[in-house]
Amino acid sequence: MLNRILRKTTQPGLSREGAVPPGGAPDAAEMFLFQGVRQGRQKSFEELYRLYHPRLQRFLLHMIRQGDQVVEEVLNDTMMVVWRRADAFDGRSKLSTWIFGIAYRKALKALSRQDLPADDSDLPETADSAPGPESAIGFVQLRRRLQEAMSALSVDHRAVVELCYFQDMSHAEIAEIVGCPPETVKTRMFYARRRLRGLLEDLGE
């Protein structure tokens, strides 16, 4: 089923069954789709998959650091849990917190199966739209340095940095995702920032 979704969800537009009502808040729109998933509506699942794919892909790329194939396998496993166990979501947290919690646990399992050291050679290095080749090269070089620094962090520290700075989640949300108290999240963030500063201090401004 996921192969068909990957083909179809790249196309614009949805059937009326999976359409999101206009003008709603992002959380409300997600819950509208998720209610359709709970009712077994495949169109709703396809749209929810498309909505979460870029966010989960970024998170898992930085968690697993093993390239696209492993990341896509973990991402698909995550979304299949959402499809098959939608009734397990009890509504006490945001839907995004629940989904990222599944992805985090799946990522840890994938890492436990890895026999090779983490390799970020397959991570995308798309530069931004800054004018001129020198600007693009500088951006790519900086991005590579940041990737290398992130690779030097522990899995737990990578997770809190990614969820806080790139997924814009609160300490309470991160704590629920990774399964620890909020104070532990703050401690991990402190040590992760200190480690990154040490690794990147030669970059200056």
Side-chain angles (χ1 to χ4, degrees):
M1 180 173 67
L2 286 175
N3 288 335
R4 190 174 70 83
I5 291 172
L6 287 171
R7 291 194 302 269
K8 290 186 64 177
T9 56
T10 58
Q11 302 173 1
L14 284 173
S15 70
R16 296 178 63 182
E17 180 186 4
V20 180
D27 287 348
E30 289 181 14
M31 285 307 302
F32 177 84
L33 290 172
F34 186 70
Q35 290 303 323
V37 173
R38 275 183 161 163
Q39 296 167 13
R41 295 178 183 171
Q42 193 163 316
K43 293 294 184 182
S44 296
F45 177 69
E46 290 173 1
E47 179 63 5
L48 191 69
Y49 182 100
R50 183 168 63 177
L51 184 66
Y52 269 87
H53 187 277
R55 295 180 64 191
L56 290 174
Q57 184 182 54
R58 179 189 174 88
F59 173 64
L60 292 170
L61 276 169
H62 286 89
M63 277 285 294
I64 301 172
R65 310 195 71 80
Q66 285 290 340
D68 291 342
Q69 182 175 352
V70 177
V71 166
E72 286 300 316
E73 289 174 0
V74 175
L75 195 158
N76 288 341
D77 287 348
T78 297
M79 292 307 295
M80 285 308 297
V81 172
V82 174
W83 170 251
R84 293 171 176 168
R85 301 194 59 197
D87 289 339
F89 177 65
D90 58 15
R92 289 184 294 179
S93 66
K94 288 184 178 180
L95 179 62
S96 59
T97 304
W98 181 66
I99 293 176
F100 270 85
I102 298 169
Y104 176 76
R105 293 187 292 274
K106 292 288 184 182
L108 291 182
K109 288 182 180 179
L111 285 169
S112 71
R113 296 192 299 265
Q114 295 297 332
D115 296 325
L116 299 174
D119 174 17
D120 61 3
S121 60
D122 291 330
L123 293 180
E125 290 199 54
T126 303
D128 63 4
S129 58
E134 291 183 359
S135 297
I137 292 171
F139 178 86
V140 170
Q141 290 174 340
L142 175 60
R143 192 171 188 274
R144 170 60 66 179
R145 288 297 308 277
L146 291 171
Q147 288 176 350
E148 291 172 350
M150 286 286 286
S151 295
L153 299 180
S154 69
V155 174
D156 289 336
H157 288 174
R158 286 205 304 269
V160 296
V161 170
E162 169 67 23
L163 291 169
C164 179
Y165 289 108
F166 300 105
Q167 302 295 338
D168 197 27
M169 293 187 175
S170 68
H171 287 172
E173 290 172 312
I174 297 170
E176 186 166 351
I177 289 169
V178 304
C180 71
E183 289 302 317
T184 301
V185 171
K186 294 178 183 178
T187 301
R188 291 178 182 176
M189 190 71 69
F190 170 80
Y191 284 111
R193 283 199 298 256
R194 188 171 72 174
R195 175 69 169 150
L196 286 173
R197 271 198 303 269
L199 293 167
L200 299 173
E201 59 183 2
D202 61 317
L203 290 179
E205 291 296 327

